[in-house]
Amino acid sequence: MQPILTVENLTKTYGNIQACDRISLSLYPGQILGIIGESGSGKTTLLNAIAHRLPIDQGQILYHKQVNEQDSNTIDLSDLPEPDRRRLMRTEWGFVQQNPRDGLRMNVTAGANIGERLMDIGQRHYGNIRTEASRWLTQVEIPSDRIDNLPSTFSGGMQQRLQLARVLVTQPKLVLMDEPTGGLDVSVQARLLDLLRSLVRTFQLSVILVTHDIGVVRLLAHRLMVMQHGQVVEQGLTDQVLDDPHHPYTQQLVSATLIP
C-alpha cells in the first residue's frame, strides 16, 4: 500500500535551537499516527511545518493524492503555489486546533462555520448547505437546533466538536490534530475521544495526532512517534512502544503515567 503522506528529512531551526532535526515519516490511508513528547519537544512545530504554516529549512513533504484505485499523483508541498496550498487545506486536508476558537469564526453562526467550508469547494445552494450543516451538527453530537447560535454560546467541548464538523464536512483525506482534547475536563475529553474514534473509522481518515497525553494515543493511534529535543527517539506500533519502551525518555514518559 502506498502512503498518503511522506515526510523526508524535515528540518526546522530557530537560531541555535533545532526544533525538528531531520524527521522522516510515512502515513498510510486510514492510519492514525500519534506524536507525543513534552512541551518543547518539537511535536507542534513538526505538525505546523507539515501543514506548511511554517517554512522549513530542508526536507520534503509529499502528498500522494489518490487518482484511482491504482494510481496516485505526488504533490510536493514546497512546489505548490500558495493559492493551491490553501485550497488543499480547505478540501483534502484539515487542521484541528487545540483551542477551538482558533479554528472557528466566532462572529458567525455554527451553521455558517460549517457552510463556509462547503462554499470553499463550490457549493452555492443555500438550502443544501444548511441541510448539510445541520446533518454535521448531529454527526458531532450538537443539537441541530443550535445551527443559528454563535460558537461563543457553546461550551468548550461543543466548540471543539463544532470545529471537527467544520473541518470534516468536506471529507478530507488527511487531518492534522494539535492536542484536540487539551484543556477539556476529563469527562468531556472521554466523550470527545469516543467521537473522534467513531469519525475516524466511519470516514477512513488518515490522521497525525499531536498530544502529550499517553492515554489519548493509546486509545486512538495505530503507530506512535516519541519526540525529544526536536528528534524522534522512538517509534513503532503504539502498544509495542508503550508496553515495552526502549529509550530512557519514553520509559520516563510511560512511568510518569503509572504513578498514582
Side-chain angles (χ1 to χ4, degrees), residues 35-236:
I35 303 176
I36 62 170
E38 295 175 337
S39 296
S41 61
K43 58 187 188 299
T44 295
T45 297
L46 174 61
L47 197 72
N48 284 319
I50 291 172
H52 232 62
R53 294 177 167 211
L54 292 174
I56 62 176
D57 298 320
Q58 67 180 55
Q60 279 189 311
I61 303 163
L62 305 174
Y63 172 49
H64 308 288
K65 180 178 179 177
Q66 200 69 33
V67 178
N68 52 48
E69 291 186 2
Q70 288 79 32
D71 302 315
S72 64
N73 178 29
T74 297
I75 298 170
D76 186 337
L77 263 69
S78 299
D79 296 335
L80 204 60
E82 182 62 17
D84 292 343
R85 188 196 66 80
R86 289 182 179 178
R87 178 170 176 78
L88 181 71
M89 290 301 301
R90 294 196 304 263
T91 54
E92 297 183 45
W93 287 32
F95 197 106
V96 176
Q97 306 268 10
Q98 176 179 357
N99 184 347
R101 288 174 171 263
D102 295 333
L104 296 170
R105 290 187 60 199
M106 300 301 291
N107 60 340
V108 302
T109 66
N113 265 281
I114 300 171
E116 184 177 61
R117 192 157 160 118
L118 289 171
M119 293 179 69
D120 284 339
I121 62 171
Q123 294 198 28
R124 293 293 181 265
H125 190 282
Y126 174 79
N128 292 343
I129 291 173
R130 187 174 176 86
T131 297
E132 188 68 1
S134 178
R135 186 179 74 83
W136 265 95
L137 286 176
T138 302
Q139 184 82 52
V140 297
E141 302 175 359
I142 297 175
S144 59
D145 60 8
R146 300 293 302 271
I147 192 170
D148 294 317
N149 294 154
L150 292 174
S152 58
T153 67
F154 291 178
S155 67
M158 287 179 69
Q159 287 179 0
Q160 193 60 287
R161 298 200 303 275
L162 177 59
Q163 185 186 188
L164 284 173
R166 175 181 169 91
V167 168
L168 298 182
V169 68
T170 57
Q171 298 189 26
K173 306 299 183 188
L174 172 62
V175 180
L176 310 176
M177 297 186 180
D178 185 13
E179 300 274 11
T181 62
L184 299 177
D185 293 339
V186 173
S187 60
V188 178
Q189 281 188 19
R191 184 177 176 185
L192 183 62
L193 286 171
D194 285 342
L195 176 62
L196 279 171
R197 186 163 56 176
S198 173
L199 291 171
V200 166
R201 184 172 57 247
T202 299
F203 296 100
Q204 282 294 292
L205 301 173
S206 302
V207 178
I208 298 180
L209 170 69
V210 160
T211 182
H212 68 278
D213 191 326
I214 286 179
V216 170
V217 292
R218 188 181 283 279
L219 182 67
L220 293 178
H222 302 107
R223 295 187 61 82
L224 184 61
M225 283 175 45
V226 183
M227 289 189 66
Q228 182 187 32
H229 303 319
Q231 295 183 327
V232 177
V233 296
E234 192 161 358
Q235 60 181 312

